Amino acid sequence: MQNIVIAKAYRFVPPRFSPFWARLLQWYLPMYLRQTFGVTSWEFPGAERLVSSLKSGSGVLLASNHCRPCDPMVLGLLAREVARPFHVMASWHLFMQSRLQSFLLPRIGVFSVYREGLDREALKCATRVLSEGRFPLVVFPEGFVTRNNDRLLNLMDGIGFLARSAAKRRAASLPPGRVVAHPVFIRYFFEGRLEKTVAPVLREIEARLSWQPQPHLPLRERVVNAGLALLALKEIEHLGASQPGGAKERLPRLLDHLLEPLEQEWTGGHREPDTMARVKRLRTAILPDMVHGGISEEESARRWRQLADLYLAQQLHCYSGDYLAGDPSPERLLEMVERFEEDLTDTARPHPPIHAVITVGEAVEAVPGTDRGPEGDPLVNELRCRLEVMLEQSKTRRRARPLTP
């Protein structure tokens, strides 16, 4: 389980932007992306739209999909392209990973947000950044890394409230200005030889399952078999036996088995409409006593097991059950293998060469007073609609180039 839940008292980490550290890390960024994530090339269709908004003096919110851990760094390339540093709202747990990371993140414009509760300080900071208009603000409204480049998960409504709050403040300033939101879609294309690249990972996964290596099978069948075996192991662990049916039916069944008992205990049976909202509500209920102390070691261990179940629920939420149906793209197969490896080991090795296409959509103005209605938040709905269109359009950006040997 990755260390995404911190049982410590939360303290807001503000940005402490340093031009020196920002320039140094932007110089190092291309090398870091190549070595750590296998991203070897990139392009920025629509970047002129962002440049236009910046030149107009607007406060700019960049709302991006979040399919890979390297997305914030890839958007750092966009910042280099438009010659304007970005500020980024990021989960507090990222500041708790190492002293170096906790030192560097604020100095390149990253500030914390507490996902397990209401974070007024983060909201104030984000509103200020947008209303001042000096730095574009990056948010990932899906809320976590999805490992789904061909699927957009639910967007959090909070970004609509944030943008309108900043727009209201900006409209009251002298001179008055506006706040706009640009949807940004990041598409990754694998440009190598897929079977050769993923074969070592699949061999290791099959060895973990005590299987003989399966190179005689078609790649898609080999990946699907590994996924079904891993699902069956989790069903045996939590349900007592492997379940009938396909993955599309079995995944929701296991999810509900994990979440419903916790909801009965912690939220009086209340069930949020979205899986990640269910997970967040439960974490918010379970964590406070662990942070403030006063519970026994036995109770603390029980709650850590519950948090592990919530982590598993988040992992399961990222699997759609039919992502490899039909004739899946090389990227879908690669994503699935990377996800298996990450779920088993908490890390996924890089698989170059990967080409990133960072598309900036047309600006959507945040209008004060247009609050959430029966159909949801209007700004968030518009951003989602545009991101869905950009998702489909981005598929046509694959480059025609010879495969690497």
Side-chain angles (χ1 to χ4, degrees):
M1 185 175 75
Q2 292 181 346
N3 188 25
I4 65 172
V5 177
I6 308 297
K8 296 180 180 178
Y10 171 68
R11 290 186 178 182
F12 174 66
V13 182
R16 299 182 176 90
F17 182 75
S18 163
F20 168 78
W21 286 107
R23 285 194 297 268
L24 180 63
L25 292 182
Q26 284 206 335
W27 169 80
Y28 176 63
L29 185 57
M31 184 188 307
Y32 178 72
L33 281 167
R34 291 185 180 99
Q35 293 178 346
T36 307
F37 298 104
V39 178
T40 56
S41 57
W42 39 83
E43 58 181 295
F44 309 97
E48 69 280 357
R49 296 165 177 159
L50 175 55
V51 171
S52 177
S53 293
L54 294 173
K55 286 183 176 179
S56 73
S58 299
V60 175
L61 176 71
L62 299 176
S64 173
N65 66 315
H66 201 3
C67 61
R68 283 181 172 266
C70 60
D71 295 335
M73 284 68 79
V74 166
L75 289 182
L77 297 173
L78 176 61
R80 291 197 341 161
E81 178 73 8
V82 302
R84 183 74 67 91
F86 296 166
H87 276 28
V88 183
M89 181 185 288
S91 173
W92 182 56
H93 82 274
L94 295 173
F95 296 81
M96 300 291 108
Q97 304 305 308
S98 70
R99 289 185 178 181
L100 178 62
Q101 192 160 301
S102 65
F103 173 83
L104 289 176
L105 288 180
R107 284 158 180 81
I108 58 174
V110 184
F111 61 95
S112 70
V113 62
Y114 191 52
R115 298 190 302 182
E116 279 70 49
L118 178 62
D119 190 345
R120 291 186 174 87
E121 290 299 318
L123 179 60
K124 288 178 184 177
C125 181
T127 302
R128 176 180 55 78
V129 170
L130 283 176
S131 61
E132 289 176 351
R134 183 183 175 195
F135 301 106
L137 175 64
V138 174
V139 296
F140 295 99
E142 289 171 293
F144 66 106
V145 180
T146 68
R147 289 282 183 190
N148 283 263
N149 211 169
D150 269 344
R151 191 165 67 111
L152 193 66
L153 274 61
N154 285 347
L155 307 187
M156 298 180 294
D157 280 351
I159 61 168
F161 175 77
L162 166 62
R164 286 190 298 274
S165 298
K168 182 178 179 180
R169 182 171 170 178
R170 192 78 194 274
S173 64
L174 292 175
R178 64 179 192 146
V179 170
V180 299
H182 283 276
V184 177
F185 193 83
I186 307 173
R187 166 70 67 179
Y188 296 95
F189 292 105
F190 177 71
E191 296 185 335
R193 298 188 181 278
L194 182 63
E195 191 147 5
K196 180 180 179 181
T197 298
V198 302
V201 186
L202 283 172
R203 279 198 302 270
E204 291 180 17
I205 293 172
E206 288 162 348
R208 280 175 171 264
L209 296 169
S210 73
W211 291 357
Q212 293 278 358
Q214 308 286 306
H216 57 284
L217 295 177
L219 181 60
R220 177 188 172 278
E221 184 177 347
R222 199 174 173 186
V223 175
V224 169
N225 287 348
L228 291 174
L230 293 172
L231 175 58
L233 288 174
K234 285 300 175 185
E235 288 174 331
I236 293 169
E237 178 185 356
H238 292 277
L239 298 172
S242 177
Q243 302 297 296
K248 195 170 184 178
E249 298 78 35
R250 292 159 62 186
L251 285 166
R253 190 182 308 150
L254 180 54
L255 258 173
D256 283 340
H257 177 83
L258 292 168
L259 297 180
E260 286 178 351
L262 297 179
E263 286 165 335
Q264 288 296 327
E265 176 180 354
W266 292 104
T267 65
H270 178 83
R271 174 172 174 166
E272 298 288 344
D274 168 66
T275 297
M276 286 312 300
R278 297 171 73 184
V279 169
K280 179 179 179 180
R281 185 181 177 95
L282 286 166
R283 282 182 182 152
T284 302
I286 293 170
L287 263 177
D289 290 339
M290 300 175 68
V291 170
H292 301 301
I295 59 175
S296 65
E297 289 187 11
E298 182 180 359
E299 174 62 14
S300 179
R302 186 181 78 91
R303 295 194 191 194
W304 276 117
R305 288 193 297 271
Q306 292 180 335
L307 290 170
D309 287 345
L310 294 179
Y311 181 79
L312 174 59
Q314 179 173 314
Q315 290 176 300
L316 295 173
H317 180 56
C318 292
Y319 291 93
S320 66
D322 58 359
Y323 203 60
L324 298 185
D327 184 20
S329 67
E331 290 75 28
R332 288 195 181 199
L333 289 163
L334 178 62
E335 281 175 8
M336 195 65 72
V337 172
E338 289 176 331
R339 197 182 307 164
F340 293 163
E341 183 180 27
E342 188 174 61
D343 288 350
L344 286 167
T345 68
D346 285 340
T347 59
R349 69 198 74 180
H351 296 105
I354 291 176
H355 178 65
V357 180
I358 304 96
T359 304
V360 181
E362 294 283 358
V364 182
E365 185 169 0
V367 181
T370 55
D371 294 335
R372 177 185 175 92
E375 301 301 319
D377 188 292
L379 179 61
V380 176
N381 290 345
E382 180 64 22
L383 288 172
R384 180 177 184 87
C385 180
R386 296 193 184 198
L387 283 168
E388 293 280 12
V389 172
M390 293 164 70
L391 184 158
E392 294 300 324
Q393 291 175 340
S394 66
K395 295 177 182 178
T396 66
R397 305 288 307 192
R398 186 185 298 276
R399 302 189 296 182
R401 54 186 285 124
L403 295 174
T404 58

